[in-house]
């Protein structure tokens, strides 16, 4: 006679819908965390990761403070157990009970009532297990325990060869686990190797009324006849393909129904799906949707983002619905076009080779964006607010694409949802990076299950732009080992995983999304959907020396060539480039003691993980070499800060490294954008890297606490739709000014040029007798221009700018403004574009900057209202406008700053230049006002590069 059965509090069961099975969220239970040493036993959160619970319980300090990553190594070397008791009322035993885990990080031994349920070994998979018989037989309390083994210890055991050295980039064991690879250190990341139940978990009860549970659902929307990687026929209707993954029993004769509603709940269509197929795990069907029935979804800057609610029900033979799933979808096509350059394109002057660009709804788009790394060391605490603020910063900076770098983690659904709303294309990757990965059958099976799950999980999001096999595999990992005559195992492993397995997973599940094996990719020689290797890779098989096939990923630390356009790579698309800078003083103050605020302190050296290529010595020596990359740039190009107060000096230097970084990126971004009108037909740039997950010298444009670096604003400026920019060829001293547009209409307008001295006096425009293009002896110069769709055009040339300055005796006069490019579309003048860029032919280090007499006027808090509010969806929806005036002279790199302990938010403009007597309004959008009453406004200050010279 068995004792009464325990199951959960009936009152806590939440019905997902009228017909869904009962679903209980395990985060509602009391959880407990213990370790293998037996010295920790504390309450725990769920979902969670161990460090977060230890920190909450006061066992450890803030992991991100000080030397936390080093001092807390003991945490990742222990085994930890999360446990809870499934207790409650006696109720009749459900017919079938399952556990569903949305994410377990990573090596987990699961027990229920002391019985083994399963062992898992993949952070990126969903797992589900039937536990009915364990519950039935349980003679004690229903204890659920999740034991997390030490990932680094486990893989070192597997690898045997591992170096065991954490806190550096090269922890060799990481390839043996399906776990976020940057958890083991990267050149912008510490190595916490967190563990724990990082996503939600559920207990599911099936019954005769609800015989199955839909645990994942794919919706793939594409144009009829569309094939992966190929531009579809935009005149065809859309196909809506739904494929639901379930456990439990599918009654015979089941059918699928779709109800599609728009965002105002108006029904667009209600229909039975055709072509139903099913097995014991999946049911699939499709229908067509005429283009006229729906509005197209566009990326940021190209149109709106209409979204639709798709409700898919499974119905029994009597057409009664018994299971339902809802997905919010959008209608668009997005293709990474790698087809050969056509004769028509060649006739336009485009270099032979292959295309390498994105097309949305049949339009080429210029991709402007950045690379996203994990937004926190601990994913379990990344919430919607965090992602909404981050993505808000992305769209406010004129970006339309993020490359979600591998090897962090696949983004959660809510991040794709926010990207859908904001129009951010997400170039997504499988989690493999810069290494060769094991290919034993058990590993391949694990990769395959992971890829299937994630492809199906996010397939319905219109923001999903691409699947790439991994990071820097072909151009870096493979190129390094590639030997055409003896390809060896490295090539074979690469082919197996990235050219056969993962592509199969994508092509088998979705038709709407393109696949490339590696973020850097020379494209394919042929595409054969019936082959086990559908893309026959080009590798280094070039048809001609001047052909271009690939995207670029290139870094240089050389300060001397930082602004030399000859040093920038020429390709079809730039997916990575950059240079490091320091976080701001305020960020440093939050994480290290005051006595560590210097470029050479132990803790700053410890946090810098950028070790330049070719550097040698101890870790500290390597770190010093990395830090010198920043300071060398400052010394060469800007007035060198000297302040007797050591903290003020540290702050001025840190900020100056940000100016150097911003200046460098602006030049390189503008170079790539101009390429849209050059023979390379360059159609996209994603800078490295959007944001930080801790306070350290890195490539980021947004610091870990949400403060925006100077780079953020410079990139925003160069990402304006229509820009004017000067390009100086260091070799020839030829200066060319170009206008670049990413709009689909031709743009015409007027470009103006004026030269000033540093006091702001307008100078006679230096003429060039050789080119005669620029005119002579006038104080300013105008030229009208017309720039084609996604194109660039030259508007001014000086054949030798340095000779010119010598002959006109103006070498020390070093500021020129090129302003008011005011193009418009046709004659309607509906869209006007203005862009200004300040150019100086000599390094600012060699200029005698004058005191600009900056004046700051502070406005009042204003409530933003309506859908056009730029910080829609963020906490406060308030803004304040400041007015900055340069009263006395030209101001270089004007910078408004605020106290991040008082307020969090974003300026609409910063890091700009002002002419003498020029005023500018700058609006700060408030995300969080910690002062509660706007008193943070008084802490806003302004400075410029001139302040480097003032003690
Ligand atoms: C962790 O668990 C594994 C497997 O159960 C065991 O071999 C290892 O000794 C444990 N480590 C510690 C530190 O307890
Ligand atoms: C649409 O309907 C759902 C319930 O079916 C409701 O929660 C939601 O508020 C409605 N939306 C609009 C815009 O009416
Ligand atoms: C479905 O059937 C296959 C083969 O018959 C079996 O291996 C698999 O475990 C079944 N899956 C489920 C969820 O029952
Ligand atoms: C989201 O996370 C942030 C930290 O990034 C935290 O301050 C905030 O309270 C969280 N918001 C919610 C709604 O949990
Ligand atoms: C700079 O000028 C040299 C010499 O004319 C030329 O070969 C080179 O292509 C130019 N660089 C760029 C980026 O246009």
């Amino acid at each position: 006679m068995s004792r009464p059965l325990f199951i959960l509090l009936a009152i806590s069961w939440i019905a997902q819908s009228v017909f869904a099975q009962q679903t209980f969220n395990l985060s509602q239970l009391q959880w407990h965390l213990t370790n293998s040493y037996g010295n920790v036993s504390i309450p725990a959160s769920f979902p969670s990761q161990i460090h977060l619970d230890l920190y909450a319980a006061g066992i450890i300090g803030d992991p991100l403070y000080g030397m936390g990553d080093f001092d807390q190594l003991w945490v990742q070397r222990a085994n930890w157990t999360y446990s809870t008791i499934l207790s409650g009322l006696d109720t009749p035993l459900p017919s079938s009970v399952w556990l569903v885990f949305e994410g377990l990080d990573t090596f987990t031994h699961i027990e229920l009532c002391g019985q083994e349920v399963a062992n898992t070994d993949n952070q990126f998979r969903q797992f589900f297990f039937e536990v009915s018989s364990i519950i039935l037989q349980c003679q004690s309390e229903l204890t659920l325990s999740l034991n997390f083994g030490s990932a680094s210890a486990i893989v070192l055991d597997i690898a045997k060869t591992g170096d065991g050295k954490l806190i550096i980039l090269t922890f060799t064991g990481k390839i043996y686990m399906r776990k976020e690879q940057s958890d083991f250190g990267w050149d912008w990341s510490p190595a916490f190797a967190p563990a724990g139940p990082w996503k939600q978990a559920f207990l599911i009860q099936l019954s005769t009324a609800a015989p199955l549970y839909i645990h994942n659902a794919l919706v793939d929307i594409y144009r009829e006849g569309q094939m992966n990687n190929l531009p579809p026929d935009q005149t065809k209707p859309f196909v809506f393909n739904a494929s639901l993954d379930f456990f439990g029993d599918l009654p015979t004769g089941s059918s699928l129904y779709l109800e599609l509603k728009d965002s105002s709940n108006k029904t667009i269509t209600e229909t039975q799906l055709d072509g139903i197929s099913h097995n014991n795990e999946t049911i699939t069907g499709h229908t067509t949707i005429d283009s006229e029935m729906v509005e197209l979804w566009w990326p940021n800057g190209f149109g709106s983002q209409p979204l639709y609610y798709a409700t898919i029900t499974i119905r029994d033979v009597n057409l009664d619905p018994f299971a339902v799933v809802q997905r919010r979808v959008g209608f668009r096509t997005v293709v990474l076009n790698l087809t050969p350059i056509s004769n028509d394109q060649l006739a336009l002057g485009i270099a032979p080779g292959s295309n390498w660009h994105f097309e949305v709804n049949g339009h080429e788009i210029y991709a402007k964006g950045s690379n996203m790394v994990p937004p926190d060391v601990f994913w379990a605490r990344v919430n919607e607010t965090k992602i909404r603020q981050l993505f808000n910063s992305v769209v406010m900076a004129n970006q339309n694409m993020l490359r979600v770098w591998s090897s962090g983690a696949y983004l959660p659904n809510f991040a794709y949802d926010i990207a859908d709303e904001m129009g951010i294309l997400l170039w997504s990757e499988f989690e493999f990076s810069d290494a060769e990965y094991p290919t034993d059958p058990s590993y391949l099976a694990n990769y395959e299950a992971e890829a299937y799950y994630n492809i199906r999980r996010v397939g319905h999001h219109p923001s999903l732009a691409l699947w790439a096999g991994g990071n820097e595999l072909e151009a870096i990992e493979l190129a390094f080992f590639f030997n055409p005559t003896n390809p060896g195992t490295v090539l074979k492993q690469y082919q197996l995983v990235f050219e056969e397995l993962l592509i199969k997973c994508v092509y088998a599940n979705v038709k709407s999304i393109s696949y490339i094996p590696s973020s850097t990719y020379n494209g394919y020689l042929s595409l054969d959907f019936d082959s086990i290797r559908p893309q026959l890779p080009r590798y280094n098989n070039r048809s001609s020396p001047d052909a271009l096939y690939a995207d670029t990923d290139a870094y240089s630390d050389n300060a001397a060539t930082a602004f030399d356009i000859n040093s920038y790579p020429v390709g079809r698309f730039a997916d990575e480039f950059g240079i490091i800078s320091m976080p701001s003083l305020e960020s440093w103050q939050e994480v290290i003691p005051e006595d560590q605020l210097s470029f050479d302190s132990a803790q700053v050296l410890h946090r810098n993980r950028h070790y330049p290529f070719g550097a040698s010595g101890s870790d500290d020596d390597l770190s010093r070499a990395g830090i010198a990359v920043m300071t060398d740039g400052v010394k060469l190009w800007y007035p060198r800060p000297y302040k007797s107060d050591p903290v003020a000096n540290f702050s001025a230097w840190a900020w100056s490294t940000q100016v150097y970084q911003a200046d460098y990126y602006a030049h390189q971004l503008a170079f790539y954008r101009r390429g849209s009108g050059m023979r390379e037909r360059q159609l996209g740039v994603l800078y490295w890297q959007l944001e930080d997950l801790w306070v350290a010298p890195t490539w980021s444009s947004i610091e870990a606490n949400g403060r925006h670096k100077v780079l953020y604003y410079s990139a925003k400026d160069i990402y304006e739709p229509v820009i004017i920019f000067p390009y100086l060829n260091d070799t020839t001293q030829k200066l060319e000014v170009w206008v670049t547009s990413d709009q689909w209409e031709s743009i015409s307008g007027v470009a103006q040029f004026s030269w000033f001295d540093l006091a702001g006096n307008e100078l006679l425009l230096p003429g060039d007798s050789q080119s005669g293009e620029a005119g002579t002896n006038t104080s300013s110069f105008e030229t009208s221009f017309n720039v084609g769709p996604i194109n660039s055009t030259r508007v001014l040339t000086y054949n030798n700018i340095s000779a010119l300055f010598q002959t006109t005796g103006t070498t020390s006069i070093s500021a020129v403004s090129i302003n008011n490019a005011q193009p418009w579309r046709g004659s309607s003048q509906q869209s006007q574009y203005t862009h200004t860029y300040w150019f100086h032919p000599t390094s600012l280090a060699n200029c005698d900057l004058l005191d600009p007499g900056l004046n700051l006027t502070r406005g009042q808090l204003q409530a933003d209202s309506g859908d056009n509010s730029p910080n829609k969806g963020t906490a406060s929806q308030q803004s304040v406008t400041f007015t900055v005036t340069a009263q006395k002279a030209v101001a270089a790199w004007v910078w408004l700053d605020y106290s991040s302990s008082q307020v969090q938010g974003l300026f609409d403009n910063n890091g700009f230049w002002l002419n003498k007597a020029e005023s500018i309004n700058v609006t700060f959008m408030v995300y969080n006002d910690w002062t509660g009453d706007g008193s943070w406004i008084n802490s806003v200050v302004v400075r410029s590069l001139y302040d480097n010279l003032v003690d």
Side-chain angles (χ1 to χ4, degrees), residues 726-771:
Y727 302 84
L728 175 64
N729 189 328
D730 276 18
T731 314
T732 57
Q733 287 300 301
K734 186 171 174 179
L735 178 74
E736 297 180 4
V737 181
W738 289 64
V739 171
T740 300
S741 165
D742 69 353
Q743 298 298 289
W744 291 333
E745 297 92 347
S746 289
I747 305 283
S748 50
V750 174
Q752 301 178 342
F753 317 92
S754 335
W755 291 78
F756 301 89
D757 65 17
L758 289 167
N761 303 308
E762 200 162 349
L763 299 172
L764 290 186
L765 188 72
D768 187 322
S769 56
Q770 282 174 299
S771 76

Side-chain angles (χ1 to χ4, degrees), residues 231-386:
D233 181 347
Q234 299 291 332
T235 66
K236 296 286 192 207
F238 281 106
V239 176
F240 183 104
N241 186 52
S243 185
L244 314 183
D245 298 320
F246 61 84
F247 55 73
D249 295 319
L250 183 71
T252 41
S254 294
S255 54
L256 285 179
Y257 277 75
L258 165 68
E259 185 180 17
L260 188 70
K261 292 181 172 180
D262 68 13
S263 56
S264 57
N265 278 349
K266 194 177 124 241
T267 298
I268 304 296
T269 185
E270 213 171 341
T271 184
Q272 182 171 1
L273 297 188
D274 304 321
I276 300 295
S277 63
H278 67 85
N279 58 25
N280 62 352
E281 297 175 344
T282 296
I283 178 166
T284 303
H286 59 81
T287 189
T288 54
I289 292 175
D290 288 337
S291 304
E292 300 76 55
M293 292 164 67
V294 289
E295 308 253 327
L296 294 178
W297 182 96
W298 294 100
N300 178 38
F302 296 96
S304 58
Q305 291 80 39
L307 297 170
Y308 294 84
Y309 293 90
T311 304
I312 303 147
T313 47
I314 314 183
R315 302 191 183 190
D316 62 20
V317 278
N318 303 318
L319 301 187
D320 289 329
F322 63 88
V324 64
V325 67
Q326 196 176 61
R327 291 289 181 267
R328 195 179 61 182
V329 301
F331 291 82
R332 57 89 183 94
T333 64
V334 56
V335 170
L336 176 58
N337 186 337
L338 302 173
T339 58
I341 296 294
S342 67
N343 288 335
D344 286 351
Q345 287 179 301
L346 288 174
L348 292 171
I350 297 175
S354 295
N355 286 288
W356 213 110
H357 68 259
F358 288 89
E359 292 175 11
V360 178
N361 299 326
H363 286 269
E364 285 181 348
I365 61 154
Y366 195 93
K368 299 183 295 193
S370 51
N371 284 269
M372 180 183 177
V373 298
D376 197 316
V377 169
F378 305 111
W379 272 104
R381 69 179 176 191
V382 174
N383 60 25
E384 256 186 74
T385 311
K386 172 109 184 172

Side-chain angles (χ1 to χ4, degrees), residues 855-872:
N855 181 58
L856 177 69
T857 311
R858 299 173 173 85
Q860 314 236 308
L861 269 184
Q862 302 226 305
D864 283 330
S865 57
D867 282 351
N868 293 331
S869 164
N871 51 352
K872 170 173 66 161

Side-chain angles (χ1 to χ4, degrees), residues 36-37 77-79:
S36 49
Y37 304 130
R77 290 186 174 149
N79 297 339

Side-chain angles (χ1 to χ4, degrees), residues 338 354 356 474 521-525 535-539 549-550:
L338 302 173
S354 295
W356 213 110
E474 187 185 88
Y521 186 39
N522 284 321
Y524 51 79
L525 291 166
Q535 296 179 14
L536 186 66
R538 174 179 313 282
Y539 298 142
Y549 298 102

Side-chain angles (χ1 to χ4, degrees), residues 385-386 389-390 393 702-708 871 874-876 878 898-907 924-931 936:
T385 311
K386 172 109 184 172
Q389 288 176 357
L390 188 63
S393 293
I702 304 176
E703 299 174 23
N705 60 4
R707 288 170 71 83
H708 298 78
N871 51 352
T874 56
S876 85
Q878 291 180 321
Y898 59 91
S899 162
S900 47
S901 61
Q902 297 185 4
V903 72
Q904 195 188 8
L906 171 66
F907 290 104
F924 185 82
M925 289 158 281
V926 179
Y927 289 169
N928 287 299
D929 177 358
W930 315 124
T931 63
W936 59 269

